[in-house]
Amino acid sequence: MRTEPAGEPPWWRRAVVYQVYPTSFADGDGDGWGDLAGIRSRLPYLQWLGVDAVWLSPIYPSPHADFGYDVADYCDVDARFGDLASFDALLEEAHARGIRVILDWVPNHTSDRHPWFLESRAARASTRRDWYIWRDGTRDGLPPNNWRSAFGGPAWTFDDRTAEWYLHLFLPEQPDLNWARAEVREAMHATLRFWLDRGVDGFRADVVHLIGKDPALPDQDASLGEVDRVAIHDDPRTHELLRGLRRVLDEYPGERMMVGEVNLRDTLRIATYYGAGDELHLAFNFLALEAGFDPAAWRTLVETVGEALVPRAWPTWVLSNHDNPRHRTRFGGSERRARAAAVLLLTLRGTPFLFQGEELGLEDAFVPPAARLDPGGRDGARAPLPWTPEPPHGWPAPPFLPFPPEPGGRSVERQRGRPGSTLLLYRGLLALRRRSAALRDGDLQLVDAPPEVLRFVRVAAGERLEVAVNFSPEPAALAGAEGSTIMLASDDLAPGQPFAGAVPPECAVVLSPSVPAQKRP
Ligand code: GLC
């Protein structure tokens, strides 16, 4: 395991993490579903792109009621994706290429086919009964409380066999574990150690803010909307559980880390999940996913993160993932906007998370109703990646979902050879970030700008870069920046040239105040 030289920030503060959704990334065995052999075969691509780490969405044995977020065995690989040997081979090759690997880990719930739940469900007297959360209903035969499932409907299912209700904040096939039981905590810690022993660099912990629960299971404020009711769970008990997880990670050398999915829409609350540096290493902040192509929303978010988080914790940034429409789609299908947002994502202070295919400027696929697979309606963002121009686009067999729009033109192969492509923009951004201490480690200061422009400087010892994103359809003048050197622009402006003073419409620029180097004759 590699360790950073003393005094350097830990790797996960400097990394750009790339989310691989294994089902739709690359297919190694020709069955139309992505797999670990497919991912391994594309590691040279990820290395060429310049990412530091990959996060694999769940690869564990699963009935796939929620595409692997219903885990039937935490210590194995689903046959659809390969086996432990193919995982070890992938990990070894990723490390040899300088790419870290983090696994999705699903602590809040298991599959209803997990042996623990089968045992729990079998009888009220089962020794594993209270590994899950069972309760009587109300006298009127209603569920124990008013909690709602994230997929709609009550968060409770009545089980005829033992005439009690069990809790599931997601599908009925995803019963919630009872983290109040010491045996559950130990069993789940053991699943972390299983993968840490194999050499993984960390975990993305699924909806980890939900694991602590008030045993009284009080009703929620019924006046809240559906989304807020699901998102409201923010129980203080979770923090002690997170400290327990952190202690497990700290048993291992090599800066193993955990990034938590803290699905709360409040930066101040999210900040508490870092604890005093003894809980999560990183926490997602999904407000960025909701900011739209809107300068006011981004300014507020950057300010709030600066105030709430930066004094004691390291931020994260994300534009797209497997649970939401891709950002290009959210921005009305505009590639220009998506490219400007990419510059923002990769120049903010914090660890950026990319979702596979955003570097290709993909939009969501249109999935006809009859072909839809996901209970949450998220198939469009999970469509397969096009690797080559001709169908089936580098998949040995037609994949399980339709491709996103224009798969040939947006394929990896096509864009690799097309100057100015979105793929080459991402690669250039990753390279710039890698060689710039200001972008990786530096402070961020917002600079006054017209309302349609977000402007900030990044400063580290001896280096200062300025970033400006113009969200408007008109050019925007940038006071005092004339003559600085264009390091990179999302569109229209060539790097290495002096900046003429205006940012083109819906465009982002990275500027260096230094005088451009004289070209040799
Ligand atoms: C997280 C995952 C999502 C899943 C849910 C339940 O939000 O990202 O895909 O459906 O948790 O595990």
Side-chain angles (χ1 to χ4, degrees):
M1 185 53 53
R2 293 164 305 163
T3 40
E4 301 290 345
E8 292 283 294
W11 70 268
W12 42 266
R13 280 177 60 144
R14 291 181 152 180
V16 175
V17 184
Y18 182 98
Q19 179 187 1
V20 167
Y21 193 70
T23 318
S24 53
F25 187 67
D27 181 6
D29 64 7
D31 66 355
W33 297 83
D35 50 38
L36 298 183
I39 299 169
R40 189 175 163 204
S41 74
R42 299 297 179 180
L43 286 173
Y45 166 71
L46 294 174
Q47 187 180 14
W48 169 86
L49 180 60
V51 302
D52 303 283
V54 294
W55 143 31
L56 303 181
S57 276
I59 57 169
Y60 315 105
S62 165
H64 285 258
D66 184 16
F67 277 79
Y69 286 94
D70 46 327
V71 178
D73 179 354
Y74 290 92
C75 301
D76 205 348
V77 171
D78 195 287
R80 171 189 288 192
F81 296 130
D83 54 21
L84 284 170
S86 44
F87 176 78
D88 290 341
L90 168 62
L91 184 64
E92 191 182 333
E93 186 172 337
H95 282 170
R97 292 179 180 278
I99 298 173
R100 311 247 181 184
V101 177
I102 70 177
L103 289 185
D104 220 311
W105 181 68
V106 188
N108 180 64
H109 42 264
T110 69
S111 162
D112 63 344
R113 314 284 172 79
H114 195 293
W116 300 339
F117 188 69
L118 296 179
E119 209 182 313
S120 173
R121 165 179 238 176
R124 287 194 183 203
S126 155
T127 46
R128 287 219 170 90
R129 182 66 168 182
D130 62 358
W131 280 41
Y132 295 82
I133 298 171
W134 294 93
R135 290 287 190 281
D136 287 326
T138 67
R139 257 186 260 138
D140 315 330
L142 296 173
N145 71 16
N146 71 354
W147 293 6
R148 309 282 296 169
S149 148
F151 294 117
W156 295 92
T157 290
F158 185 73
D159 198 42
D160 287 330
R161 207 167 338 180
T162 54
E164 275 191 320
W165 299 76
Y166 68 87
L167 178 69
H168 52 86
L169 293 176
F170 294 86
L171 295 174
E173 292 89 344
Q174 295 169 297
D176 280 42
L177 279 166
N178 178 15
W179 278 79
R181 272 288 304 253
E183 292 88 340
V184 169
R185 297 196 293 274
E186 280 155 25
M188 289 302 284
H189 289 177
T191 68
L192 291 177
R193 291 194 185 96
F194 177 86
W195 295 103
L196 291 165
D197 288 338
R198 292 193 108 79
V200 303
D201 298 286
F203 301 92
R204 176 266 188 189
D206 189 63
V207 289
V208 75
H209 64 297
L210 297 177
I211 61 177
K213 292 179 177 85
D214 181 344
L217 304 174
D219 273 343
Q220 287 175 344
D221 181 349
S223 66
L224 295 174
E226 183 96 357
V227 172
D228 289 331
R229 276 220 244 163
V230 174
I232 201 82
H233 297 278
D234 177 30
D235 192 88
R237 289 162 190 81
T238 299
H239 297 284
E240 180 54 36
L241 298 172
L242 292 177
R243 286 191 284 274
L245 300 178
R246 180 63 173 258
R247 285 192 291 273
V248 175
L249 294 167
D250 287 347
E251 290 165 13
Y252 287 79
E255 300 177 334
R256 314 296 177 99
M257 60 82 74
M258 185 172 277
V259 52
E261 187 195 12
V262 178
N263 205 343
L264 303 169
R265 300 297 196 272
D266 178 340
T267 304
L268 277 171
R269 284 161 93 181
I270 293 168
T272 66
Y273 285 76
Y274 293 79
D278 56 355
E279 296 186 27
L280 295 171
H281 297 82
L282 295 173
F284 282 118
N285 186 344
F286 290 152
L287 287 165
L289 278 166
E290 292 173 356
F293 195 71
D294 173 359
W298 277 99
R299 183 171 297 110
T300 305
L301 182 56
V302 170
E303 272 169 10
T304 315
V305 165
E307 285 159 19
L309 222 55
V310 165
R312 60 204 190 88
W314 189 249
T316 64
W317 297 99
V318 56
L319 287 171
S320 287
N321 67 22
H322 65 298
D323 288 332
N324 294 278
R326 288 181 174 280
H327 68 272
R328 175 165 177 185
T329 299
R330 296 200 315 275
F331 299 162
S334 160
E335 185 165 25
R336 219 178 144 85
R337 291 177 170 188
R339 290 164 62 102
V343 173
L344 176 57
L345 173 78
L346 289 157
T347 55
L348 283 168
R349 183 178 196 267
T351 299
F353 286 77
L354 309 182
F355 178 48
Q356 63 176 39
E358 73 172 78
E359 78 278 18
L360 303 176
L362 296 184
E363 288 175 89
D364 283 6
F366 172 71
V367 183
R372 289 184 192 156
L373 298 171
D374 173 48
R378 298 161 293 185
D379 293 313
R382 301 173 176 188
L385 245 64
W387 294 96
T388 59
E390 298 306 322
H393 304 298
W395 286 68
F400 73 110
L401 277 178
F403 284 100
E406 296 175 44
R410 295 180 192 175
S411 65
V412 169
E413 199 178 297
R414 211 25 96 63
Q415 293 201 46
R416 269 179 94 139
R418 191 167 71 220
S421 71
T422 294
L423 177 57
L424 294 179
L425 171 69
Y426 269 82
R427 185 168 186 254
L429 272 164
L430 293 182
L432 176 63
R433 201 180 155 92
R434 190 175 287 241
R435 61 172 192 267
S436 162
L439 291 182
R440 290 200 310 184
D441 309 325
D443 289 339
L444 182 150
Q445 291 148 16
L446 281 167
V447 177
D448 282 344
E452 66 277 12
V453 175
L454 184 70
R455 183 175 180 184
F456 55 86
V457 291
R458 300 293 314 277
V459 193
E463 196 193 357
R464 177 188 168 93
L465 289 179
E466 176 151 10
V467 179
V469 187
N470 175 13
F471 290 82
S472 84
E474 305 294 331
L478 217 55
E482 300 91 305
S484 51
T485 303
I486 300 165
M487 304 297 290
L488 183 146
S490 58
D491 274 293
D492 303 344
L493 304 177
Q497 299 300 309
F499 180 62
V503 188
E506 298 184 335
C507 181
V509 292
V510 184
L511 304 171
S512 166
S514 61
V515 182
Q518 291 290 314
K519 279 219 177 105
R520 296 223 181 93

